[in-house]
Each structure stands twice: as C-alpha cells, then as structure tokens.
Amino acid sequence: MTSLPLPSTGSRKLGLVIDLDTCVGCHACAVNCKEWNTGGHHAPLPDYDKYGAEPDGVWFNRIHSYEAEGKADGCGGRTVNFPRSCLHCEQPHCVTVCPTGASYKRAEDGIVLVNTDICIGCKLCSWACPYGAREFDEDAGVMKKCTLCIDRIYNTSLPEAEREPACVATCPSRARHFGDFADPDSNVSKLVAARGGVDLMPELGYRPVNKYLPPRRAMIPTHATETPVRAGTGLGAALLTLVDRVLSR
C-alpha cells in the first residue's frame, strides 16, 4: 500500500474554494476542464456513446443541481449548484489503498495525482473515495482524476495571471478560486475565514483541502409579493424599487 508524504516546512497546500452562493450551474468549468485535459497531463479523456441514448465518459469536474427546500409554507426554496471534483485531501484513502503506488500525494504542494504508467486499473482508489472523484478510462484501463491543472499552474511560458486551473479561469461568475491554503494571507485562506468555508463530509476524516462556501441567506423574498406604488409615482418607481433590491443583495 502507498504511504502519504510527511509534511515539510515551507510546502504549499494548493486547492480550490468553490462559492455555492454564486455558482450558476452553467457547466463552463466542466467543459473547459474537459477541453484542457483532453490535450493535457492525463490526455486523452475519452467519451463513450456520446451521441447515443446513454452518453458517458471521463470528466474530472461534474456539476449537480439540487432544489433546496425552504420554509414550511413553501417560501424560501432555491436551486443550489454543486460542482464536484477531487478535493486533494490531506488524508486521502484513495492513496493509501493503492497497491502499486500509482496514486500518490505530492509533498511539495499537496496535489493528489495518478501515475498511469503503473496503474493497474483495480479501482480500489475509486471505492475508497467517498466523493466520487475518480474516473476510470476504459480505453486505457487506468484511473484518472483532477490534477489541479499542474501543466497550467507551473507553466512558466504562460503569463502569471493565467497560471490557474482551467475551471477557475473560465468561471463566468467567479465562483471558483485557486490558491495556497498554507498561506494565511492568500485569497483562498481569507475567503474561508470570512465566509466560513466548510469541508465536504468532515466526519469521514479525509480532511479535504478544497473548501465550499455555503449559500448565503437570500435577501430577496422568493414568494410572490406586491410592490406598493406610491400615488403619482407610477410604474417606473416600482420597477426602480425592485431593481434596487436586486442590486443591494
């Protein structure tokens, strides 16, 4: 079985912060992830029956949408879009169950990777991952997963501002953030501190590096309301009042 690296002084802890309050479920992150990685570190990412009745394939990033219930009177419900990918855990059981050492965690930055040259496709790592983040490439017979786009974030030929994962670079609502959690002054550390970033299923003890920012309480009533129109002000004033509520959220 594979051992985890010992923590070292000065090592980084790279990961993502995902804001569930601003994610709109557009799937841009999943599509750009697929596009980049089809020609990147774990290329290719195959698709199966992609024009058929049951399309499937290797996707490192998947988006799920849920309808969250509101109050007992039916008001306050909302749609929550939930992006799911590898969380690059500090205690990744997907690594420790690997019989060949193909799954491993890097000591210098904490990224969890798969060495496809020695992976035997036994799928033990996928059984050990409670987040469903492992993908089996049926064509190659090996496991693949999110790499945090190591071929982008360490690519010195790219401008420094572009050295971030493809999913982060393409998010139109800026719901995804990339940085070093070992640095308390990094953007991701500050976001987690300010918004109360949480682990996914912390009771399992995997200690995910990636954090989720929970949806904030809605400031706009979700049930039908009538905006009073002042005498002499007309419909224009009512519309401006509604716009002001939206922009003040």
Side-chain angles (χ1 to χ4, degrees), residues 1-2 4 89-98 103 112 124-131 134 204-207:
M1 300 302 174
T2 308
L4 296 175
C89 303
E90 294 190 58
Q91 295 293 324
H93 291 198
C94 60
V95 169
T96 56
V97 301
C98 182
S103 289
V112 177
L124 282 175
C125 59
S126 64
W127 297 340
C129 176
Y131 309 115
R134 294 286 176 138
L204 298 179
Y206 285 47
R207 297 170 59 196

Side-chain angles (χ1 to χ4, degrees), residues 160-234:
E160 188 172 354
E162 296 180 18
R163 296 175 201 169
E164 59 184 2
C167 62
V168 176
T170 199
C171 181
S173 62
R174 303 306 296 171
R176 304 176 74 93
H177 307 268
F178 169 69
D180 181 8
F181 286 92
D183 178 6
D185 294 322
S186 68
N187 62 323
V188 290
S189 294
K190 290 179 178 179
L191 274 171
V192 169
R195 291 275 307 281
V198 298
D199 291 351
L200 184 60
M201 294 190 283
E203 66 277 7
L204 298 179
Y206 285 47
R207 297 170 59 196
V209 171
N210 289 7
K211 308 296 181 187
Y212 288 91
L213 301 182
R216 287 173 283 200
R217 185 176 179 180
M219 301 296 291
I220 303 174
T222 55
H223 55 280
T225 58
E226 293 184 4
T227 303
V229 179
R230 297 191 194 126
T233 56

